[in-house]
Amino acid sequence: AGRISDKNRLFLPRQAAISAEDTLYSPPEPLPRLVQPLQSLGVASFITLAAAMMPFIVAPLYLLEKVRLLSRRRRESWCLKAICHWVRFLSPLAFSLQISGRMPTDEDGLLLWSSNHISNADFFAVLAAAPKLCRRRSMWPRVIYWQGLEKNPLFKLFGRSCGMVPVAMENTGSGNENVYDTSSFRRMYMAGIGILQSKTDLAILPEGQLNPRPWQGLQRVYPGPYSFSKRADAAIQMVGLYGTEHIWQAGKPYPMPKARDVRIHLWPPEKYQSPDDFVAAFKTRIEPWGLRGEAS
């Protein structure tokens, strides 16, 4: 990728020190400065509309469950799919989404989805991509997420409506070691296994939390996805995210978009022989994609 150009340095925080490793970083094409305020308005409109409609999307499905026309599992599945399609419809306001790789099918069997985590905008990008990523899957994945996000009532509504799995841990800040609540971790693990045993996919972030310096590569990669996949005899579906940090940078209270291009890539699902094999494969595939948007 060569050295970071003066133009591309605009993407990095002022306090960021450029090291030899950072020269591999290749950000997407930046927006002209005059366009950035308009793009900020587009992102704000996108998030506002996506959030505002969420209660109206899930309320009728809760009502159908209440009168016993829907099971809880079916309600969770329909809520997730309806929200994802709505976010997909709105996404051109915020970013230009490119999806590549092999989309999984039901013939791949049970899957454990695993991706890098580089931005608060990852949540919206993955929701927007889900109708294509999962279009040939009967059961879309449930996600394990940090319970602290439920301080936002709309995220709590999303998580509970769609059958996601919260886990409590200390807010140690992005880029630091995870400190879990032991009892919550046990509940999360059993809930995740229960989801897999019900023949529904599960998604987990092996970095544990948001990466505040994606231009330096991955954070520490934990083998949690391997543990779940081994227990449930599920293949691991790796997903690479690129470009979302230029829409909403880690540590910022609100989006400040500098680019529009977001890329998501899928590799064929695989089963791994050991935790070390999984971690090595994740680094080999996901890190180049996160740095340059190029599949290895």
Side-chain angles (χ1 to χ4, degrees):
R3 290 196 169 275
I4 296 179
S5 67
D6 290 339
K7 177 181 71 173
N8 289 339
R9 286 174 189 270
L10 296 174
F11 283 103
L12 304 180
R14 293 179 181 176
Q15 69 271 24
I18 305 300
S19 66
E21 290 79 10
D22 298 332
T23 61
L24 297 175
Y25 185 61
S26 178
E29 186 67 23
L31 292 168
R33 289 189 180 276
L34 292 177
V35 176
Q36 289 181 19
L38 293 176
Q39 183 61 22
S40 295
L41 179 61
V43 173
S45 300
F46 162 72
I47 293 174
T48 300
L49 289 170
M53 279 300 296
M54 200 174 298
F56 298 98
I57 292 172
V58 304
L61 298 174
Y62 268 108
L63 182 60
L64 290 175
E65 181 189 10
K66 188 74 173 177
V67 297
R68 299 183 179 181
L69 293 177
L70 279 183
S71 66
R72 180 179 64 85
R73 187 182 182 197
R74 183 63 61 87
R75 184 261 302 163
E76 291 173 349
S77 179
W78 285 15
C79 280
L80 176 60
K81 292 179 180 181
I83 290 171
C84 287
H85 281 288
W86 173 240
V87 173
R88 174 75 168 178
F89 173 75
L90 296 173
S91 63
L93 290 170
F95 46 79
S96 175
L97 183 62
Q98 302 174 46
I99 302 172
S100 59
R102 176 190 177 278
M103 303 301 113
T105 71
D106 280 344
E107 294 179 357
D108 293 316
L110 196 60
L111 295 180
L112 197 294
W113 297 66
S114 185
S115 80
N116 53 334
H117 189 21
I118 54 179
S119 166
N120 293 324
D122 292 349
F123 170 70
F124 296 103
V126 170
L127 290 184
K132 182 172 182 180
L133 301 182
C134 304
R135 72 178 186 271
R136 298 163 71 185
R137 298 286 293 174
S138 299
M139 297 301 296
W140 292 15
R142 305 298 185 262
V143 181
I144 293 175
Y145 66 92
W146 175 43
Q147 193 169 14
L149 295 173
E150 292 188 346
K151 291 179 181 178
N152 181 318
L154 287 172
F155 190 93
K156 183 176 181 179
L157 175 65
F158 168 80
R160 300 296 175 89
S161 300
C162 301
M164 305 305 175
V165 182
V167 58
M169 64 181 185
E170 293 182 17
N171 185 7
T172 57
S174 298
N176 298 314
E177 292 287 323
N178 296 333
V179 180
Y180 292 99
D181 175 89
T182 304
S183 61
S184 176
F185 186 87
R186 188 179 300 110
R187 288 194 300 271
M188 174 273 292
Y189 187 78
M190 296 311 298
I193 293 299
I195 287 171
L196 291 167
Q197 289 177 341
S198 71
K199 305 304 180 183
T200 301
D201 293 353
L202 185 67
I204 185 172
L205 304 172
E207 292 176 280
Q209 55 182 285
L210 186 59
N211 185 352
R213 293 174 291 276
W215 55 88
Q216 293 179 348
L218 294 172
Q219 303 178 96
R220 177 181 175 183
V221 177
Y222 295 89
Y226 171 81
S227 176
F228 279 106
S229 68
K230 188 70 172 177
R231 176 80 177 268
D233 192 30
I236 294 180
Q237 173 64 70
M238 291 191 184
V239 181
L241 303 178
Y242 169 83
T244 52
E245 73 272 27
H246 305 303
I247 295 173
W248 193 341
Q249 195 175 88
K252 301 295 183 183
Y254 50 85
M256 292 187 291
K258 297 179 181 179
R260 277 186 55 84
D261 291 341
V262 171
R263 302 176 200 169
I264 297 180
H265 185 80
L266 273 65
W267 287 263
E270 291 187 25
K271 294 182 179 180
Y272 297 94
Q273 298 302 311
S274 71
D276 290 342
D277 286 346
F278 162 72
V279 170
F282 190 85
K283 290 180 177 179
T284 299
R285 291 177 169 178
I286 302 297
E287 189 161 66
W289 182 265
L291 289 170
R292 301 183 296 276
E294 299 173 359
S296 60

